Amino acid sequence: MQIRDLTSANIGAATSLWVRAGLTRPWNPPELDLQRALDGGTSTVLGAFDNDRLIGTVMVGHDGHRGWVYYLAVDESQRGTGLGRQLMSTAEDWLRKHGAVKVQLMVRSTNETVLGFYEHLGYEAAEVQVRSKRLT
Ligand SMILES: CC(C)(COP(=O)(O)OP(=O)(O)OC[C@H]1O[C@@H](n2cnc3c(N)ncnc32)[C@H](O)[C@@H]1OP(=O)(O)O)[C@@H](O)C(=O)NCCC(=O)NCCS
């Protein structure tokens, strides 16, 4: 198993993994998110490969101070083997290397089962409320 930056060639495999993992929404084309993260100077998408098969991903980026993690997904056949932990640790290392001092993430309120995983990895509930507004 090897973790490395994805390229445009991996977009199909990554978006298929995200759909299977329940991370996509019909109004938000995931391939655009992925391409933007690859093109941006402060972000990337890391992929775990078993030979050439994509078995996990995590998107990571920063605003100069805080780092953010998105699209953490492990192929169902590989869950429970430590890969999710390894992807999070690699994302945290990427952020440290880029000067971020804090890492944050958002969990959809419909995805409460994953909260235990993050808590286990040391992620605490933050005293903030998120507000959002569509611009398009
Ligand atoms: C969340 C996800 C990435 C976890 O990946 P995984 O490879 O199965 O997790 P790991 O095997 O690395 O688990 C790491 C540790 O967390 C623990 N853990 C995993 N899921 C847990 C849960 N729901 N509650 C509590 N602990 C959990 C494991 O027991 C393991 O403990 P250990 O390292 O002390 O032995 C995977 O379940 C997934 O892809 N889910 C669907 C997509 C998703 O919801 N992503 C998050 C979007 S916010």
Side-chain angles (χ1 to χ4, degrees):
M1 197 279 295
Q2 192 198 20
I3 297 179
R4 59 175 187 263
D5 291 289
L6 296 190
T7 69
S8 300
N10 307 122
I11 286 179
T15 55
S16 160
L17 173 61
W18 295 348
V19 169
R20 283 183 275 121
L23 298 183
T24 57
R25 291 297 177 268
W27 56 87
N28 185 24
E31 58 278 5
L32 298 185
D33 279 355
L34 202 161
Q35 191 64 60
R36 264 192 303 267
L38 297 184
D39 291 345
T42 56
S43 55
T44 191
V45 185
L46 302 166
F49 290 86
D50 178 14
N51 295 312
D52 277 340
R53 191 165 82 93
L54 184 67
I55 53 172
T57 62
V58 62
M59 181 184 286
V60 62
H62 69 88
D63 62 20
H65 175 86
R66 291 173 202 81
W68 287 89
V69 166
Y70 308 88
Y71 288 110
L72 173 73
V74 168
D75 187 271
E76 211 157 3
S77 67
Q78 308 291 320
R79 289 187 194 160
T81 65
L83 185 52
R85 179 190 277 281
Q86 226 175 316
L87 282 163
M88 286 299 293
S89 159
T90 308
E92 290 167 10
D93 287 344
W94 187 98
L95 289 169
R96 276 188 207 99
K97 201 174 88 189
H98 288 80
V101 295
K102 190 175 182 184
V103 55
Q104 306 193 154
L105 52 86
M106 292 180 279
V107 176
R108 286 195 182 106
S109 46
T110 50
N111 191 11
E112 277 190 13
T113 48
V114 81
L115 291 175
F117 166 81
Y118 287 125
E119 196 177 318
H120 196 64
L121 266 57
Y123 284 72
E124 299 168 339
E127 293 298 319
V128 295
Q129 290 194 30
V130 177
R131 294 285 185 274
S132 69
K133 176 181 172 182
R134 291 204 73 82
L135 298 175
T136 55

Short mmCIF file of all heavy atoms in Angstrom, two decimals, residues 59-95:
data_model
loop_
_atom_site.label_atom_id
_atom_site.label_comp_id
_atom_site.label_asym_id
_atom_site.label_seq_id
_atom_site.Cartn_x
_atom_site.Cartn_y
_atom_site.Cartn_z
N MET A 59 -9.00 14.48 1.05
CA MET A 59 -8.68 15.80 0.48
C MET A 59 -8.17 16.67 1.62
O MET A 59 -8.71 16.63 2.73
CB MET A 59 -9.93 16.42 -0.14
CG MET A 59 -9.70 17.77 -0.79
SD MET A 59 -11.24 18.51 -1.41
CE MET A 59 -11.57 17.53 -2.86
N VAL A 60 -7.15 17.46 1.35
CA VAL A 60 -6.57 18.29 2.41
C VAL A 60 -6.18 19.65 1.85
O VAL A 60 -5.76 19.76 0.70
CB VAL A 60 -5.38 17.53 3.07
CG1 VAL A 60 -4.26 17.24 2.10
CG2 VAL A 60 -4.85 18.26 4.28
N GLY A 61 -6.41 20.69 2.65
CA GLY A 61 -6.04 22.03 2.21
C GLY A 61 -5.91 22.93 3.42
O GLY A 61 -6.26 22.54 4.54
N HIS A 62 -5.38 24.15 3.23
CA HIS A 62 -5.23 25.05 4.37
C HIS A 62 -5.42 26.50 3.94
O HIS A 62 -5.31 26.85 2.76
CB HIS A 62 -3.85 24.87 5.02
CG HIS A 62 -2.71 25.35 4.17
ND1 HIS A 62 -2.26 26.65 4.21
CD2 HIS A 62 -1.96 24.72 3.25
CE1 HIS A 62 -1.26 26.79 3.35
NE2 HIS A 62 -1.06 25.63 2.75
N ASP A 63 -5.71 27.36 4.95
CA ASP A 63 -5.88 28.79 4.68
C ASP A 63 -4.70 29.57 5.23
O ASP A 63 -4.78 30.77 5.44
CB ASP A 63 -7.21 29.29 5.26
CG ASP A 63 -7.28 29.12 6.78
OD1 ASP A 63 -6.23 28.98 7.43
OD2 ASP A 63 -8.40 29.13 7.33
N GLY A 64 -3.63 28.90 5.53
CA GLY A 64 -2.43 29.54 6.09
C GLY A 64 -2.31 29.30 7.58
O GLY A 64 -1.22 29.32 8.14
N HIS A 65 -3.42 29.05 8.24
CA HIS A 65 -3.43 28.82 9.69
C HIS A 65 -4.14 27.50 10.00
O HIS A 65 -3.55 26.57 10.54
CB HIS A 65 -4.15 30.00 10.38
CG HIS A 65 -4.34 29.84 11.85
ND1 HIS A 65 -3.39 30.19 12.78
CD2 HIS A 65 -5.40 29.35 12.57
CE1 HIS A 65 -3.85 29.92 14.00
NE2 HIS A 65 -5.05 29.43 13.90
N ARG A 66 -5.39 27.42 9.55
CA ARG A 66 -6.14 26.18 9.77
C ARG A 66 -6.06 25.28 8.55
O ARG A 66 -6.14 25.76 7.42
CB ARG A 66 -7.62 26.49 10.01
CG ARG A 66 -7.91 27.18 11.30
CD ARG A 66 -9.37 27.58 11.34
NE ARG A 66 -9.55 28.65 12.29
CZ ARG A 66 -9.31 29.93 12.02
NH1 ARG A 66 -8.91 30.30 10.82
NH2 ARG A 66 -9.49 30.85 12.94
N GLY A 67 -5.96 24.01 8.85
CA GLY A 67 -6.06 23.02 7.78
C GLY A 67 -7.45 22.41 7.80
O GLY A 67 -8.12 22.38 8.85
N TRP A 68 -7.90 21.94 6.66
CA TRP A 68 -9.20 21.31 6.54
C TRP A 68 -9.06 19.97 5.85
O TRP A 68 -8.24 19.81 4.94
CB TRP A 68 -10.15 22.19 5.72
CG TRP A 68 -10.61 23.39 6.46
CD1 TRP A 68 -10.02 24.62 6.49
CD2 TRP A 68 -11.78 23.49 7.28
NE1 TRP A 68 -10.75 25.48 7.29
CE2 TRP A 68 -11.83 24.81 7.78
CE3 TRP A 68 -12.79 22.59 7.65
CZ2 TRP A 68 -12.86 25.25 8.63
CZ3 TRP A 68 -13.81 23.03 8.48
CH2 TRP A 68 -13.84 24.34 8.96
N VAL A 69 -9.88 19.03 6.28
CA VAL A 69 -9.88 17.69 5.70
C VAL A 69 -11.28 17.40 5.16
O VAL A 69 -12.27 17.70 5.83
CB VAL A 69 -9.50 16.65 6.79
CG1 VAL A 69 -9.81 15.24 6.36
CG2 VAL A 69 -8.02 16.78 7.14
N TYR A 70 -11.34 16.88 3.96
CA TYR A 70 -12.61 16.53 3.31
C TYR A 70 -12.46 15.17 2.62
O TYR A 70 -11.34 14.72 2.35
CB TYR A 70 -12.99 17.53 2.21
CG TYR A 70 -12.98 18.98 2.60
CD1 TYR A 70 -11.82 19.73 2.50
CD2 TYR A 70 -14.14 19.60 3.05
CE1 TYR A 70 -11.81 21.08 2.83
CE2 TYR A 70 -14.15 20.93 3.39
CZ TYR A 70 -12.97 21.68 3.28
OH TYR A 70 -12.97 23.00 3.62
N TYR A 71 -13.58 14.60 2.22
CA TYR A 71 -13.58 13.39 1.38
C TYR A 71 -12.67 12.29 1.92
O TYR A 71 -11.93 11.65 1.16
CB TYR A 71 -13.18 13.74 -0.06
CG TYR A 71 -14.23 14.49 -0.85
CD1 TYR A 71 -14.06 15.83 -1.20
CD2 TYR A 71 -15.39 13.85 -1.27
CE1 TYR A 71 -15.02 16.53 -1.94
CE2 TYR A 71 -16.36 14.54 -2.01
CZ TYR A 71 -16.17 15.87 -2.34
OH TYR A 71 -17.12 16.54 -3.08
N LEU A 72 -12.71 12.09 3.24
CA LEU A 72 -12.03 10.91 3.78
C LEU A 72 -12.90 9.70 3.45
O LEU A 72 -14.07 9.66 3.84
CB LEU A 72 -11.84 11.03 5.30
CG LEU A 72 -11.29 9.75 5.94
CD1 LEU A 72 -9.80 9.57 5.61
CD2 LEU A 72 -11.50 9.75 7.45
N ALA A 73 -12.34 8.75 2.75
CA ALA A 73 -13.11 7.54 2.40
C ALA A 73 -12.17 6.36 2.27
O ALA A 73 -11.08 6.47 1.72
CB ALA A 73 -13.86 7.76 1.08
N VAL A 74 -12.63 5.23 2.78
CA VAL A 74 -11.90 3.97 2.62
C VAL A 74 -12.86 2.99 1.95
O VAL A 74 -14.04 2.90 2.32
CB VAL A 74 -11.44 3.42 4.01
CG1 VAL A 74 -10.94 1.99 3.90
CG2 VAL A 74 -10.36 4.33 4.60
N ASP A 75 -12.36 2.29 0.95
CA ASP A 75 -13.17 1.28 0.25
C ASP A 75 -13.74 0.31 1.29
O ASP A 75 -13.03 -0.11 2.21
CB ASP A 75 -12.29 0.54 -0.76
CG ASP A 75 -13.12 -0.38 -1.63
OD1 ASP A 75 -13.32 -1.56 -1.24
OD2 ASP A 75 -13.57 0.08 -2.69
N GLU A 76 -15.00 -0.04 1.11
CA GLU A 76 -15.68 -0.86 2.11
C GLU A 76 -14.90 -2.14 2.43
O GLU A 76 -14.85 -2.57 3.58
CB GLU A 76 -17.09 -1.21 1.61
CG GLU A 76 -18.05 -1.37 2.75
CD GLU A 76 -19.50 -1.16 2.33
OE1 GLU A 76 -19.76 -0.95 1.12
OE2 GLU A 76 -20.35 -1.21 3.22
N SER A 77 -14.27 -2.73 1.41
CA SER A 77 -13.54 -3.99 1.62
C SER A 77 -12.30 -3.82 2.50
O SER A 77 -11.73 -4.79 2.98
CB SER A 77 -13.11 -4.57 0.26
OG SER A 77 -12.15 -3.71 -0.34
N GLN A 78 -11.86 -2.57 2.69
CA GLN A 78 -10.61 -2.32 3.43
C GLN A 78 -10.86 -1.67 4.80
O GLN A 78 -9.92 -1.34 5.51
CB GLN A 78 -9.70 -1.38 2.63
CG GLN A 78 -9.45 -1.80 1.21
CD GLN A 78 -8.60 -3.06 1.13
OE1 GLN A 78 -7.65 -3.21 1.89
NE2 GLN A 78 -8.96 -3.96 0.24
N ARG A 79 -12.12 -1.43 5.13
CA ARG A 79 -12.40 -0.73 6.39
C ARG A 79 -12.03 -1.60 7.58
O ARG A 79 -12.07 -2.83 7.52
CB ARG A 79 -13.89 -0.33 6.47
CG ARG A 79 -14.16 0.79 5.49
CD ARG A 79 -15.55 1.36 5.61
NE ARG A 79 -15.81 2.18 4.40
CZ ARG A 79 -16.98 2.52 3.95
NH1 ARG A 79 -18.06 2.16 4.61
NH2 ARG A 79 -17.10 3.25 2.86
N GLY A 80 -11.65 -0.94 8.66
CA GLY A 80 -11.30 -1.66 9.88
C GLY A 80 -9.89 -2.21 9.86
O GLY A 80 -9.52 -2.99 10.74
N THR A 81 -9.09 -1.80 8.89
CA THR A 81 -7.71 -2.31 8.81
C THR A 81 -6.69 -1.23 9.17
O THR A 81 -5.48 -1.44 9.03
CB THR A 81 -7.39 -2.81 7.38
OG1 THR A 81 -7.43 -1.69 6.48
CG2 THR A 81 -8.39 -3.86 6.91
N GLY A 82 -7.15 -0.06 9.60
CA GLY A 82 -6.23 1.01 9.99
C GLY A 82 -5.96 2.02 8.89
O GLY A 82 -5.21 2.98 9.09
N LEU A 83 -6.59 1.83 7.73
CA LEU A 83 -6.30 2.73 6.61
C LEU A 83 -6.85 4.13 6.83
O LEU A 83 -6.20 5.13 6.50
CB LEU A 83 -6.84 2.12 5.30
CG LEU A 83 -6.51 2.89 4.02
CD1 LEU A 83 -5.02 3.18 3.90
CD2 LEU A 83 -7.00 2.13 2.80
N GLY A 84 -8.04 4.24 7.42
CA GLY A 84 -8.61 5.56 7.71
C GLY A 84 -7.69 6.34 8.64
O GLY A 84 -7.40 7.53 8.41
N ARG A 85 -7.19 5.68 9.67
CA ARG A 85 -6.24 6.32 10.60
C ARG A 85 -4.98 6.78 9.85
O ARG A 85 -4.48 7.87 10.05
CB ARG A 85 -5.87 5.32 11.71
CG ARG A 85 -4.89 5.86 12.71
CD ARG A 85 -4.39 4.76 13.63
NE ARG A 85 -5.26 4.44 14.75
CZ ARG A 85 -5.33 5.16 15.87
NH1 ARG A 85 -4.62 6.25 16.00
NH2 ARG A 85 -6.12 4.79 16.84
N GLN A 86 -4.48 5.90 8.98
CA GLN A 86 -3.24 6.21 8.24
C GLN A 86 -3.44 7.40 7.31
O GLN A 86 -2.57 8.27 7.19
CB GLN A 86 -2.86 4.98 7.42
CG GLN A 86 -1.40 4.62 7.54
CD GLN A 86 -1.11 3.32 6.80
OE1 GLN A 86 -1.86 2.36 6.92
NE2 GLN A 86 -0.04 3.31 6.05
N LEU A 87 -4.61 7.47 6.64
CA LEU A 87 -4.89 8.59 5.74
C LEU A 87 -4.98 9.89 6.54
O LEU A 87 -4.46 10.93 6.12
CB LEU A 87 -6.19 8.34 4.97
CG LEU A 87 -6.07 7.36 3.80
CD1 LEU A 87 -7.45 6.84 3.37
CD2 LEU A 87 -5.36 8.00 2.61
N MET A 88 -5.63 9.84 7.71
CA MET A 88 -5.73 11.05 8.54
C MET A 88 -4.35 11.49 9.02
O MET A 88 -4.03 12.67 9.04
CB MET A 88 -6.66 10.80 9.73
CG MET A 88 -8.13 10.74 9.36
SD MET A 88 -8.75 12.28 8.63
CE MET A 88 -8.63 13.40 10.02
N SER A 89 -3.53 10.54 9.39
CA SER A 89 -2.18 10.88 9.86
C SER A 89 -1.34 11.48 8.73
O SER A 89 -0.60 12.45 8.93
CB SER A 89 -1.57 9.59 10.44
OG SER A 89 -0.21 9.67 10.49
N THR A 90 -1.50 10.96 7.51
CA THR A 90 -0.77 11.51 6.36
C THR A 90 -1.28 12.91 6.03
O THR A 90 -0.49 13.81 5.70
CB THR A 90 -0.93 10.57 5.13
OG1 THR A 90 -0.58 9.25 5.52
CG2 THR A 90 -0.04 11.01 3.98
N ALA A 91 -2.59 13.13 6.14
CA ALA A 91 -3.16 14.47 5.91
C ALA A 91 -2.62 15.45 6.96
O ALA A 91 -2.26 16.59 6.63
CB ALA A 91 -4.68 14.41 5.96
N GLU A 92 -2.55 15.02 8.21
CA GLU A 92 -2.03 15.89 9.28
C GLU A 92 -0.55 16.23 9.01
O GLU A 92 -0.14 17.38 9.19
CB GLU A 92 -2.19 15.22 10.65
CG GLU A 92 -3.65 15.12 11.09
CD GLU A 92 -3.84 14.18 12.29
OE1 GLU A 92 -2.83 13.76 12.90
OE2 GLU A 92 -5.01 13.87 12.61
N ASP A 93 0.22 15.24 8.59
CA ASP A 93 1.64 15.50 8.27
C ASP A 93 1.75 16.50 7.13
O ASP A 93 2.60 17.40 7.14
CB ASP A 93 2.34 14.19 7.85
CG ASP A 93 2.60 13.28 9.04
OD1 ASP A 93 2.51 13.75 10.19
OD2 ASP A 93 2.86 12.08 8.80
N TRP A 94 0.87 16.36 6.11
CA TRP A 94 0.88 17.28 4.96
C TRP A 94 0.63 18.71 5.46
O TRP A 94 1.30 19.65 5.05
CB TRP A 94 -0.19 16.84 3.96
CG TRP A 94 -0.20 17.58 2.65
CD1 TRP A 94 0.37 17.16 1.47
CD2 TRP A 94 -0.81 18.86 2.37
NE1 TRP A 94 0.16 18.11 0.48
CE2 TRP A 94 -0.56 19.15 1.01
CE3 TRP A 94 -1.54 19.76 3.13
CZ2 TRP A 94 -1.01 20.33 0.39
CZ3 TRP A 94 -1.98 20.94 2.52
CH2 TRP A 94 -1.71 21.21 1.17
N LEU A 95 -0.35 18.86 6.36
CA LEU A 95 -0.70 20.19 6.88
C LEU A 95 0.45 20.78 7.69
O LEU A 95 0.78 21.96 7.55
CB LEU A 95 -1.98 20.12 7.72
CG LEU A 95 -3.25 19.88 6.89
CD1 LEU A 95 -4.42 19.55 7.79
CD2 LEU A 95 -3.56 21.11 6.03
#
